[in-house]
Amino acid sequence: MPASGRLQDWWRRRRRSDDRGDASIQMAIVYPFVLLAAIAVIQASMWYYARQIALTAAREGVTAARAYQAGPADGTARARQVLGRTAGDSLRSLSVSARSDGERVRVQVSGTTQSMIPGIEGLAITQSASGPVERWVPGP
């Protein structure tokens, strides 16, 4: 066998024996990034879900507050009722406010999401909805 052939065989054998443990090192480097990406996706999903809960409560509150002879207090009560049924642990530190200028009513729901990282407060969420106040107007 020529010298270059023996050198190539020696090099192949040496590389195979030196590769032991490479997979463990690669996983030790890659795994934290995969874990952070998974936590980020879960946290974003929790934020989106809590945002949808707040928006639903605000819309329901506006629907109740804009009804004929209803007021902002009716909207606040309805929004709190919806939050009591749906929010659970997804939305914390809730606050609901409603106001009306006689023409339009606006309900705002605020809170914070639950955090995946212990000791860190969740993201703040504020959603609002508005609509015209229904009133009776005599016909022509």
Side-chain angles (χ1 to χ4, degrees):
M1 183 182 266
S4 65
R6 282 184 279 168
L7 183 61
Q8 286 176 348
D9 288 342
W10 175 81
W11 181 251
R12 283 189 198 125
R13 283 192 309 264
R14 174 141 175 109
R15 281 197 62 205
R16 278 190 217 124
S17 66
D18 287 347
D19 286 346
R20 285 180 278 146
D22 279 355
S24 298
I25 292 172
Q26 290 171 357
M27 284 305 297
I29 293 170
V30 172
Y31 185 71
F33 294 109
V34 171
L35 189 60
L36 285 175
I39 289 173
V41 167
I42 293 169
Q43 186 68 54
S45 299
M46 290 171 62
W47 172 80
Y48 179 78
Y49 179 65
R51 191 171 170 261
Q52 292 304 311
I53 289 171
L55 184 59
T56 299
R59 286 179 178 170
E60 289 286 326
V62 165
T63 300
R66 65 185 290 263
Y68 181 65
Q69 293 186 338
D74 297 315
T76 301
R78 177 69 179 148
R80 287 188 189 282
Q81 182 184 20
V82 169
L83 287 170
R85 278 195 336 251
T86 58
D89 288 338
S90 298
L91 202 54
R92 297 177 173 182
S93 304
L94 296 170
S95 73
V96 179
S97 64
R99 64 174 197 248
S100 176
D101 62 2
E103 295 288 320
R104 294 188 69 80
V105 65
R106 182 172 191 255
V107 176
Q108 182 172 325
V109 176
S110 300
T112 57
T113 62
Q114 190 175 13
S115 177
M116 288 292 297
I117 302 169
I120 296 179
E121 193 171 321
L123 300 171
I125 292 176
T126 301
Q127 291 293 317
S128 62
S130 66
V133 175
E134 293 180 4
R135 33 188 192 146
W136 186 76
V137 179

